[in-house]
Amino acid sequence: MEQRVVTLFHHSLEATMNAGEILAPLIAEASEMVVHTLLAESKVLLCGNGVSGALAQSFCSQLTGGFQRERPGLPAMALNSDGVSMGTVAQNHGSADTFAHPVRALGQPGDLLVIISSDGRDSNLVQAMRAARDRDMGILALTGGDGGDCAALLDTHDIELRVPSDVAAEVHQVHLLTIFCLCDLIDSSLFGGYED
């Protein structure tokens, strides 16, 4: 059993290093996208399902509550954090609309939608992206595998951070590290200097 743990750690390191080499320039570009949104006094709306939903909430909490330094909160909202609202929308409009409905209600031109999905195949994320497009919002997608239906909806103004793996656990771990990188770069851009 111990050897299995070591093997899993090795696979994790390999997946992380492979993704880091591919995604580094895109992560830097994505951080600039978020910074541009915030400097324009717009907000970030985030969503995901399951583990990806937890990652969306984590990203949101680090934007609003701080990352590794004391700083003002940044305007962000995780759309999957309110179970009552999600349930109401699903009951009244269907489960595919659980994120699209609040995007239409809260999203404004210039806002940014961040979707997180290990495979890009969630119908409620696809609908949220369509709603964001209708609201003239930018889209940042953290995906994996082949990017799924979510990748097909992106245009040249959007950014996709696609982890080159079909293993959900590997995609989730790289997404978490990607979020940490984004938070570090965002804080450094807005508040100066890099923390060691």
Side-chain angles (χ1 to χ4, degrees), residues 54-68:
L55 292 172
Q57 289 179 332
S58 177
F59 193 1
C60 181
S61 71
Q62 291 165 54
L63 291 173
T64 60
F67 180 54
Q68 291 185 323

Side-chain angles (χ1 to χ4, degrees), residues 103-178:
V103 167
R104 287 190 291 269
L106 301 169
Q108 297 295 321
D111 286 348
L112 179 65
L113 176 67
V114 177
I115 66 107
I116 303 176
S117 173
S118 61
D119 62 8
R121 300 191 192 295
D122 306 277
S123 62
N124 58 354
L125 297 178
V126 168
Q127 295 304 323
M129 292 173 69
R130 289 185 173 137
R133 185 79 61 237
D134 292 343
R135 301 292 288 163
D136 198 23
M137 297 169 59
I139 299 172
L140 170 59
L142 280 70
T143 66
D146 65 3
D149 299 326
C150 291
L153 289 176
L154 297 169
D155 69 23
T156 56
H157 296 87
D158 302 321
I159 296 175
E160 181 184 19
L161 303 175
R162 185 187 302 176
V163 178
S165 174
D166 293 315
V167 179
E170 291 178 357
V171 175
H172 292 314
Q173 75 185 18
V174 174
H175 281 172
L176 180 59
L177 182 55
T178 298

